[in-house]
Structures are given as C-alpha cells and as structure tokens.
Amino acid sequence: MSELQREVTELERKSASAARLFDIRRIIGGLFTLYGVIVGGAGVFASSADLKKAQDVNINLWTGLGMLALGLFFLVWLKLRPTAPPTPTPGE
C-alpha cells in the first residue's frame, strides 16, 4: 500500500470517529440520563412536605424515571444504529 493510500485511509477513519463522537443522540442521551438520575434522586429523597405540595404525587420521581428512560433509549439507539461514516464525493 502506498503512503498516499495509508494517509487517505487514516483520514477516513478519523472522520468516521469524529462523526460518531458528535452524534446528537449521544449528547441528548447523556444529558437526559444524567438529569434523570439527578431528578429521580431528588424524588427518592422527597419529604412528606414536598409530597403534600404536589397532592401526594412524587412528580420528581416520575419525571426522573421518564427522563432516564428517554436518555437510555437514545443511547441504546446510538449503539444499535451507529452513524455511517461519510462517503467521499467523486471529485475528492
């Protein structure tokens, strides 16, 4: 393999890695998972006064579980359907 072919192959690999790194599903999934854990944790440790304000519905716990489920959905989706590397145009 010539030096030019090796360089092209290396650049294509780096481009595919960058595309996967900045996939919006990773960012959304990570943030929703993190916030879901934080809000769900606040719901787990809610006081009876907090529950009384919300008419005995632990809204932080339910919202946190929903956010956690959505975040995990995005991360699983990313794992099952990874981003395809960009294909070079014929002029390149």
Side-chain angles (χ1 to χ4, degrees), residues 13 15-24 26 78 82-85:
R13 187 185 62 76
S15 176
S17 296
R20 282 190 299 274
L21 180 64
F22 294 109
D23 190 348
I24 192 72
R26 180 183 310 269
L78 177 68
T83 305

Side-chain angles (χ1 to χ4, degrees), residues 9-80:
T9 304
E10 180 66 23
L11 286 174
E12 286 175 347
R13 187 185 62 76
K14 286 181 181 179
S15 176
S17 296
R20 282 190 299 274
L21 180 64
F22 294 109
D23 190 348
I24 192 72
R25 295 174 293 180
R26 180 183 310 269
I27 297 167
I28 291 173
L31 285 175
F32 266 97
T33 302
L34 176 68
Y35 293 154
V37 169
I38 292 170
V39 173
V44 168
F45 299 111
S47 68
S48 60
D50 292 336
L51 292 176
K52 191 168 208 120
K53 283 189 229 175
Q55 298 178 353
D56 292 326
V57 176
N58 196 343
I59 193 70
N60 284 339
L61 179 64
W62 289 108
T63 303
L65 288 174
M67 292 172 77
L68 184 62
L70 182 64
L72 291 176
F73 167 76
F74 272 96
L75 294 176
V76 168
W77 180 22
L78 177 68
K79 184 74 172 170
L80 294 177

